[in-house]
Amino acid sequence: MFVAQKQHLFMKKIALAYCLFLASFLNAQIKGQITSTKKEALSFVSVYLDGTVTGTTSNDEGYYELPLKKVGKYTVVFQFLGFKTLKKKIEIRDFPFKLNVQLKEETVTLDEVTIDSKENIAHKIIRNVIANKDKNEAKVLQYTADFYSRGLYKIKNAPKQILGQKLGDFGGGLDSTRSGIIYLSETFSKISHQKPNKFKEHIVASKVSGSDNGVSFNRAEDANFNFYKNTIEIGNEIISPIANYAFGYYSYKLVGSFYEKNGQQINKIQVIPKRKNDRVFSGFLYIVEDDWALYGADISVTGAQVNLPMVDRLRFKQSFNKANETRAWVLISQTIDFKIGMFGIKINGRFSSAFTNYNFNPNFTKNTFGKEILSFENNATKKDTTYWNKLRPIPLTTEEVKDYVVKDSIKIVRKSKKYLDSIDAKNNKLSWTFPLSGYTYRNSYKKWSLNFDSPIEHLSFNTVQGWNSSLGFSYFKTLNETGKWMNFSTNFNYGFSDKQLRPTFSFAYKWDNITRPILRISGGKTTRQFNNQNPISKLYNTISSIFYEQNYLKIYEKTFVNVGFSKELANGFWFNSSLEYADRRPLINTTNYSARNIENREYTANDPQDPANFSPSFNQHQIWTLNVGTTIHFGTKYLSYPDRKFTVYNNNYPSLYVGYRKTFGSNNSQNHSDLFYTRIGQRFSLGNLGNSKYRIKAGYFLNKKDIPFMDYAHFNGNKFAFPSPNGTMNSFNLLDYYSHSTNDKYAEFHGEHNFKGFLLSKIPLINKLNFHVVAGAKGLFTGDRKPYTEASIGIDNIGWSKWRFLRIDYVISKGGIYQKQNGFVFTLGLFN
């Protein structure tokens, strides 16, 4: 009986939502459906009144709504790429006014002059477009506009699980074949722009189907794909078909011409990549004769070209209209269609955008633009259905209306304690695999979880502890919806050779997602590498030790208490600090176990300075350590969401860190030290030449003393065929781990440039491999040793089809223990 009542109420909600949808549709001033002559619905057709720039757009079912304020005579324009623009004169005596139309496919013709021409007319047209880019962009120096965006993901035949992990029902939007909408969102905002790069967006309304907070990420700036620029950032820097250097990457063919609504000639140009593996588009551009401006674009790029293997293809369609005030062709609509496929998941998606109500003479002041580039109106995520029906310029489809209704109803149920407890009861059951995978117990309603880390996952070997592992427990509690949480964890590490149990604890508390202040308290007994950046992977060391008797990992023991605090003091300006008291004790080898007894090879001692010293490497001591530092990201801006803030970094400027470390409070004053240190780094694009990045680090000890070795400045070396876990910009490829450690002044440099196909794409046959050349250089300079340098040349993007996961570098070094070395380094990564 109860189930029947629930079903009855649920169907009433669906019926009510449909009535609201139909009511809003009937109240639209002009409404109708747009189809082709074959009676196929045409989606994303631009609909506006003649003499205006923008109006509305049809949805996936071809339906549109165009609001008007009064009756009278009007001319309605229907514009869609590939079809003839239709002007329909109407006289409205009362509302609603129904206007269904059919659009005919555009007849594209080549005149005799074009056919007989010895010159490639398309190339001439594109050269004119490139020559007039600055002129056309200068026609609109500033504007305000309304922006609407809709995001839609649909899945087909979704698997029930991947790699043993259940996928669930994606919020309840799947039918019996596990197909349907898995994501639907809308955003309506007010945008302001002033050249060259000032931009601001204020979101008036935002919603996500089935979500409580309603925050979508359909930002106007993220939808700004400006093909007048030389490159378009989509994972990779994709070369625009009208870039200044486009003729090095594209050929062009004039398909034909037609005339738009005001009689201007539009040239349809086919964009043909010279090399399919380049970072390029393919498709069609529509160019306005004489104005040499974009009338439309219908171009695509593959997942391999944007370096996103799961993406099959991205398709961009843009439509422009001429603004009478500025005589400029401005963007009025855009769609981005994509297909994703991985691990049996097949997703089709679309992001639709519409720009309306342009004002090309806004009254901007010096306070209009600042560091905040995104803000939300109060209650922007709480707008009701009636508000949205009046607001959205693109009507919802029947399927989208149903998705909102179903998921909003399900959302209410799935927030209830009864439902969440039932899900937890199912998911909290112990699996026979928990010793391997660990175990998590959740209370979703009260928003806390208890986690158990598998000791098998943390199993490793070193010559001090022998085989050792850790048993970990952690408790996490969400305290509110704006980023407040706390976490408590304990860890018990046991060495089977030294027979030592080393317990530690940690506590963390975060207040909010705006300035993100975090307090951390930790303590206990543990082992640490002498280089606290942990350059030696436990896994790598385990393999090299038990199979090759090369024990690179050098550790000591400390019993400690540490308190740390970090916070963003201003946008892009971070402060961090920590204070630690530690009792440090030397450790020695306790085992010579090896899976292979290699002749004439023995383990080295646990002394990073003297591999032959099997005695304690330093005297036990107690000491305090204070660290304070600031990180400054220059040129940053930020996005203000209702419950958090995101920093937007500017690649035109570097990031700088300045720090100070002081050790004090030891019984022996020779252990005390003062170190000032800094680092600066940046990543930036050089357009079609590729991408560059660098990092420079430097430090200075106020007094050069015989301080404990773990307080030296250490540099991340590498003795394996795979790179250090610290990353290529923070480590050397062939440097010994502690050969250049210093208590004096130092500086290091890391630089790299990835040509992204600029070189190899021009070599016949080799260009079909789609490899990228990478060149690098590194240097280390200390006050007490000769400089150490590395130079490397490598090949990135090695793989097949769109799966490019391997990079190989050949490295030459000078100035190390062996003066000159060389070797290969292999890097694996899904997104090279």
Side-chain angles (χ1 to χ4, degrees):
M1 177 68 179
F2 176 69
V3 173
Q5 285 180 338
K6 279 187 21 179
Q7 291 176 338
H8 177 67
L9 290 171
F10 182 67
M11 293 307 295
K12 283 182 69 176
K13 288 182 178 179
I14 292 179
L16 177 60
Y18 272 111
C19 289
L20 289 171
F21 167 66
L22 291 173
S24 70
F25 193 70
L26 290 172
N27 288 330
Q29 307 303 306
I30 302 178
K31 53 93 174 179
Q33 186 181 31
I34 308 168
T35 58
S36 68
T37 54
K38 298 177 183 178
K39 297 185 179 181
E40 296 171 337
L42 296 180
S43 62
F44 227 67
V45 178
S46 295
V47 185
Y48 53 92
L49 296 180
D50 195 21
T52 64
V53 178
T54 55
T56 187
T57 306
S58 61
N59 66 17
D60 286 347
E61 296 171 335
Y63 289 104
Y64 72 94
E65 302 171 9
L66 181 64
L68 290 176
K69 294 183 178 180
K70 58 183 179 179
V71 297
K73 294 181 180 181
Y74 296 94
T75 300
V76 184
V77 181
F78 299 85
Q79 179 182 325
F80 189 50
L81 286 182
F83 289 79
K84 290 184 178 180
T85 298
L86 175 65
K87 283 186 174 182
K88 198 77 172 179
K89 293 184 178 181
I90 58 173
E91 183 177 358
I92 301 176
R93 294 196 175 117
D94 52 39
F95 294 113
F97 186 89
K98 186 174 182 180
L99 179 61
N100 295 331
V101 298
Q102 281 190 346
L103 299 186
K104 297 179 181 179
E105 289 191 27
E106 188 65 68
T107 303
V108 180
T109 60
L110 285 171
D111 60 35
E112 292 183 9
V113 175
T114 300
I115 295 172
D116 293 340
S117 175
K118 294 181 181 180
E119 181 185 7
N120 187 328
I121 300 299
H123 285 196
K124 182 179 179 181
I125 292 171
I126 294 298
R127 285 193 184 95
N128 283 330
V129 174
I130 295 172
N132 284 272
K133 283 198 303 180
D134 291 343
K135 177 183 174 182
N136 279 319
E137 289 224 273
K139 290 179 179 179
V140 180
L141 298 177
Q142 59 183 15
Y143 65 81
T144 61
D146 293 343
F147 172 78
Y148 170 82
S149 179
R150 182 182 303 169
L152 178 69
Y153 294 8
K154 298 174 71 174
I155 198 168
K156 187 174 182 181
N157 301 323
K160 292 185 178 180
Q161 60 182 19
I162 293 178
L163 302 177
Q165 298 296 316
K166 294 181 180 179
L167 296 181
D169 62 0
F170 293 94
L174 304 185
D175 60 19
S176 59
T177 66
R178 291 186 60 79
S179 302
I181 296 175
I182 59 173
Y183 177 78
L184 172 62
S185 67
E186 295 180 275
T187 297
F188 183 82
S189 59
K190 304 284 187 178
I191 60 176
S192 303
H193 173 70
Q194 187 178 63
K195 289 187 181 300
N197 54 12
K198 293 181 179 179
F199 184 86
K200 184 175 71 173
E201 178 176 8
H202 182 68
I203 292 181
V204 176
S206 175
K207 68 184 303 186
V208 178
S209 181
S211 173
D212 227 8
N213 65 19
V215 176
S216 70
F217 290 87
N218 308 345
R219 292 176 52 218
E221 199 166 27
D222 288 340
N224 181 25
F225 295 97
N226 185 354
F227 293 103
Y228 286 109
K229 293 183 178 180
N230 288 328
T231 59
I232 313 298
E233 174 61 40
I234 320 170
N236 264 338
E237 294 273 350
I238 309 300
I239 311 299
S240 168
I242 52 175
N244 293 342
Y245 37 77
F247 282 95
Y249 296 86
Y250 297 98
S251 294
Y252 306 91
K253 179 183 177 182
L254 177 62
V255 178
S257 302
F258 60 91
Y259 292 89
E260 55 87 57
K261 64 181 187 295
N262 292 318
Q264 285 194 265
Q265 181 176 319
I266 308 298
N267 301 297
K268 183 178 181 180
I269 307 292
Q270 185 177 3
V271 177
I272 307 166
K274 288 186 174 181
R275 298 166 296 273
K276 71 174 184 178
N277 291 326
D278 277 351
R279 296 170 293 140
V280 293
F281 295 96
S282 60
F284 299 93
L285 294 180
Y286 296 80
I287 307 299
V288 184
E289 186 81 11
D290 295 329
D291 287 346
W292 310 119
L294 286 174
Y295 174 81
D298 186 356
I299 54 178
S300 301
V301 64
T302 65
Q305 289 165 326
V306 299
N307 208 29
L308 295 173
M310 73 288 296
V311 175
D312 178 40
R313 180 170 290 272
L314 290 167
R315 182 182 181 186
F316 297 81
K317 293 186 73 174
Q318 293 184 338
S319 291
F320 296 77
N321 197 3
K322 195 167 190 176
N324 292 329
E325 304 98 303
T326 63
R327 310 304 296 168
W329 291 84
V330 296
L331 182 64
I332 58 173
S333 64
Q334 174 180 273
T335 58
I336 305 171
D337 293 287
F338 56 90
K339 292 183 178 180
I340 298 175
M342 181 177 278
F343 302 124
I345 292 179
K346 298 177 183 178
I347 295 175
N348 292 335
R350 167 178 285 184
F351 280 98
S352 307
S353 305
F355 299 81
T356 58
N357 298 326
Y358 275 105
N359 175 12
F360 300 105
N361 296 293
N363 186 24
F364 291 152
T365 68
K366 63 179 182 179
N367 297 321
T368 299
F369 299 98
K371 290 190 174 182
E372 185 182 55
I373 58 176
L374 178 74
S375 60
F376 275 69
E377 184 176 292
N378 290 336
N379 297 318
T381 62
K382 308 298 182 184
K383 307 295 186 183
D384 60 19
T385 301
T386 302
Y387 182 90
W388 273 101
N389 287 337
K390 292 179 179 179
L391 187 70
R392 65 170 62 91
I394 306 174
L396 293 175
T397 65
T398 306
E399 184 181 26
E400 290 165 347
V401 172
K402 182 179 178 181
D403 188 74
Y404 272 131
V405 174
V406 170
K407 288 182 180 175
D408 285 350
S409 299
I410 291 175
K411 175 184 66 178
I412 297 172
V413 174
R414 293 188 175 184
K415 285 172 57 181
S416 68
K417 185 177 185 302
K418 182 178 180 180
Y419 176 82
L420 293 174
D421 287 349
S422 68
I423 295 298
D424 286 341
K426 182 178 179 181
N427 293 333
N428 288 339
K429 290 180 180 178
L430 273 175
S431 167
W432 65 270
T433 62
F434 89 91
L436 295 173
S437 59
Y439 173 72
T440 299
Y441 180 90
R442 289 187 176 86
N443 187 319
S444 299
Y445 185 75
K446 293 186 177 180
K447 299 178 181 179
W448 62 266
S449 63
L450 184 65
N451 185 71
F452 156 74
D453 288 335
S454 166
I456 296 176
E457 181 183 350
H458 298 283
L459 185 65
S460 66
F461 176 86
N462 63 66
T463 55
V464 173
Q465 299 173 280
W467 286 103
N468 67 95
S469 187
S470 297
L471 185 65
F473 299 91
S474 63
Y475 170 82
F476 184 88
K477 168 72 172 177
T478 299
L479 299 175
N480 65 20
E481 300 299 325
T482 58
K484 183 183 286 189
W485 54 257
M486 68 176 182
N487 181 67
F488 180 81
S489 64
T490 59
N491 188 75
F492 300 90
N493 176 264
Y494 183 77
F496 290 93
S497 179
D498 68 351
K499 296 181 173 55
Q500 288 290 316
L501 177 67
R502 296 180 173 91
T504 58
F505 75 92
S506 66
F507 171 80
Y509 189 92
K510 181 181 178 184
W511 277 265
D512 60 61
N513 283 330
I514 308 301
T515 59
R516 288 157 282 187
I518 299 180
L519 172 68
R520 300 182 189 276
I521 303 172
S522 59
K525 180 188 288 188
T526 187
T527 60
R528 286 285 189 267
Q529 294 188 40
F530 283 86
N531 181 348
N532 63 10
Q533 298 176 78
N534 299 321
I536 305 167
S537 159
K538 288 185 178 181
L539 174 61
Y540 289 177
N541 184 73
T542 299
I543 295 172
S544 67
S545 296
I546 64 175
F547 291 110
Y548 302 99
E549 294 186 36
Q550 294 177 327
N551 55 320
Y552 297 115
L553 188 73
K554 310 299 178 186
I555 57 178
Y556 68 96
E557 181 182 270
K558 72 173 183 178
T559 304
F560 72 102
V561 175
N562 184 291
V563 179
F565 180 77
S566 64
K567 182 180 180 179
E568 187 178 33
L569 301 179
N571 187 61
F573 186 85
W574 281 88
F575 169 79
N576 66 275
S577 62
S578 67
L579 179 64
E580 178 180 279
Y581 174 79
D583 181 359
R584 299 163 169 175
R585 190 170 71 88
L587 299 173
I588 60 174
N589 289 350
T590 64
T591 179
N592 60 0
Y593 167 80
S594 173
R596 300 166 60 198
N597 291 317
I598 302 175
E599 191 175 350
N600 299 323
R601 181 176 291 179
E602 295 180 351
Y603 284 126
T604 57
N606 187 47
D607 185 341
Q609 294 177 287
D610 184 1
N613 174 32
F614 288 86
S615 301
S617 60
F618 65 91
N619 295 322
Q620 182 176 355
H621 61 275
Q622 298 78 41
I623 201 164
W624 289 84
T625 303
L626 171 68
N627 277 288
V628 292
T630 60
T631 301
I632 305 171
H633 300 286
F634 296 101
T636 59
K637 297 185 178 180
Y638 63 93
L639 315 173
S640 296
Y641 285 87
D643 59 348
R644 67 192 61 204
K645 190 192 82 168
F646 292 102
T647 302
V648 179
Y649 300 102
N650 189 336
N651 289 335
N652 293 326
Y653 300 93
S655 294
L656 173 68
Y657 180 85
V658 178
Y660 169 68
R661 187 197 71 192
K662 183 177 183 64
T663 57
F664 62 98
S666 174
N667 290 331
N668 183 356
S669 62
Q670 284 296 310
N671 291 338
H672 300 165
S673 64
D674 294 271
L675 171 65
F676 291 91
Y677 57 101
T678 185
R679 61 177 177 264
I680 187 170
Q682 186 180 7
R683 296 168 179 260
F684 53 93
S685 171
L686 294 177
N688 64 323
L689 296 178
N691 301 329
S692 289
K693 54 185 176 181
Y694 69 86
R695 174 172 282 197
I696 302 171
K697 302 165 72 175
Y700 181 78
F701 286 86
L702 289 185
N703 296 292
K704 184 178 179 181
K705 298 190 296 186
D706 188 22
I707 60 177
F709 189 65
M710 65 282 293
D711 292 328
Y712 275 47
H714 301 289
F715 311 101
N716 297 321
N718 185 42
K719 302 298 290 183
F720 299 98
F722 296 95
S724 163
N726 298 89
T728 59
M729 285 294 101
N730 201 35
S731 61
F732 295 88
N733 293 300
L734 302 178
L735 180 69
D736 191 77
Y737 290 111
Y738 294 103
S739 63
H740 283 66
S741 298
T742 185
N743 58 353
D744 202 350
K745 54 183 177 293
Y746 66 88
E748 62 177 300
F749 168 81
H750 305 268
E752 179 180 292
H753 181 76
N754 190 326
F755 287 91
K756 290 287 184 180
F758 177 76
L759 297 178
L760 298 184
S761 65
K762 296 173 174 59
I763 303 175
L765 298 181
I766 292 180
N767 59 21
K768 296 182 181 296
L769 299 174
N770 199 20
F771 291 164
H772 299 165
V773 175
V774 183
K778 298 174 181 289
L780 175 58
F781 312 90
T782 62
D784 49 3
R785 285 176 179 81
K786 291 183 178 180
Y788 172 85
T789 57
E790 289 183 359
S792 64
I793 189 76
I795 300 295
D796 196 4
N797 211 45
I798 301 173
W800 63 91
S801 183
K802 59 185 179 181
W803 300 98
R804 305 283 174 161
F805 55 84
L806 178 62
R807 168 176 162 178
I808 302 176
D809 289 278
Y810 176 69
V811 185
I812 300 175
S813 71
K814 183 178 180 181
I817 292 178
Y818 306 104
Q819 289 303 309
K820 289 186 179 181
Q821 292 187 86
N822 61 76
F824 289 93
V825 176
F826 300 84
T827 305
L828 295 174
L830 186 60
F831 308 111
N832 280 333

